[in-house]
Amino acid sequence: QSVLTQPPSASGTPGQRVPISCSGSSSNIGSNPVNWYQQLPGTAPKLLIYYNNQRPSGVPDRFSGSKSGTSASLAISGLQSEDEADYYCAAWDDSLNGVVFGGGTKLTVL
Amino acid sequence: QVQLVQSGAEVKKPGASVKVSCKASGYTFTSYDINWVRQATGQGLEWMGWMNPNSGNTGYAQKFQGRVTMTRSTSISTAYMELSSLRSEDTAVYYCARAPGLGYGMDVWGQGTTVTVSS
């Protein structure tokens, strides 16, 4: 049981916009920034979004993040086949004094 | 280029310990925290703890308290994660990842080290 809650799966067709939600509590998302990671099959995770909505250099602007209260969301617009991956949200938790991850969302491009 | 290179796969018996290394290059080792994250086959990411290579300060997830030790050698820009009293449930890929500070995004990851615990 993950501290942050994500839907286990999401899907979309090429070109579509797909949102992925991440729900937490006041001790994590409610008081700390959210980071998002993309994990392609058989590879290490990659930082996709940091500090709620910032993109590292090299990440396409098709990927965007937002946060409101104790929830966050990752949106992928102009969906492409290479976006098929697992996506994880993460945040620092003040009560647990550590990083907590969501359970991950497997994105399928139909 | 900035990279973290981890040691090779390990096979251990239950009750043993494993020590995984993570060598940093391309940046100032002491300027970024090193986090350790593991992933069992088909499962999600699990944070184990962090270490500040400059001070040596560490913080561990409650689940691993008493079983994990994170250390470093600044002279060779290498971080280490040792996990003791291994059990089958510890079979996973272990990643090191750097971050500018606590709760910041982990922007560079190692390639992962597979640890298999089996009798």
Side-chain angles (χ1 to χ4, degrees):
Chain A
Q1 194 82 350
S2 301
V3 173
L4 303 182
T5 301
Q6 298 180 236
S9 64
S11 63
T13 56
Q16 262 191 330
R17 179 182 181 279
V18 174
I20 296 175
S21 63
C22 175
S23 177
S25 67
S26 58
S27 64
N28 42 65
I29 293 178
S31 51
N32 293 294
V34 177
N35 305 303
W36 289 90
Y37 301 90
Q38 176 193 58
Q39 188 176 32
L40 298 171
T43 69
K46 168 190 169 183
L47 181 64
L48 199 63
I49 296 287
Y50 67 97
Y51 211 88
N52 304 324
N53 55 17
Q54 302 299 302
R55 282 186 308 277
S57 173
V59 173
D61 58 7
R62 301 187 296 105
F63 295 91
S64 61
S66 63
K67 184 180 102 167
S68 179
T70 58
S71 293
S73 182
L74 172 71
I76 308 171
S77 58
L79 197 63
Q80 298 180 4
S81 57
E82 54 260 41
D83 298 333
E84 196 160 278
D86 294 325
Y87 293 84
Y88 295 89
C89 59
W92 183 264
D93 190 295
D94 293 332
S95 296
L96 297 175
N97 220 25
V99 175
V100 291
F101 282 97
T105 298
K106 184 175 184 61
L107 175 64
T108 301
V109 181
L110 302 169
Chain B
Q1 73 279 28
V2 176
Q3 60 178 352
L4 297 172
V5 178
Q6 299 182 222
S7 48
E10 302 263 12
V11 179
K12 296 291 183 180
K13 293 196 182 302
S17 296
V18 68
K19 191 170 186 177
V20 179
S21 68
C22 170
K23 183 171 176 60
S25 62
Y27 74 98
T28 302
F29 177 60
T30 50
S31 296
Y32 290 80
D33 291 346
I34 293 291
N35 290 262
W36 290 89
V37 176
R38 77 177 187 180
Q39 184 174 38
T41 302
Q43 302 301 307
L45 302 174
E46 182 175 33
W47 182 79
M48 300 180 67
W50 66 273
M51 181 193 63
N52 181 306
N54 186 44
S55 64
N57 288 346
T58 56
Y60 304 136
Q62 192 168 10
K63 175 177 179 177
F64 300 101
Q65 292 269 5
R67 276 209 308 146
V68 71
T69 304
M70 296 176 188
T71 57
R72 89 292 192 205
S73 172
T74 55
S75 63
I76 56 172
S77 300
T78 300
Y80 303 92
M81 186 283 298
E82 184 170 22
L83 188 62
S84 62
S85 303
L86 290 169
R87 33 212 189 228
S88 58
E89 310 89 87
D90 294 318
T91 294
V93 176
Y94 289 75
Y95 295 102
C96 60
R98 78 167 197 180
L102 293 179
Y104 284 76
M106 300 176 216
D107 65 344
V108 178
W109 292 66
Q111 83 276 20
T113 296
T114 299
V115 175
T116 303
V117 183
S118 173
S119 54

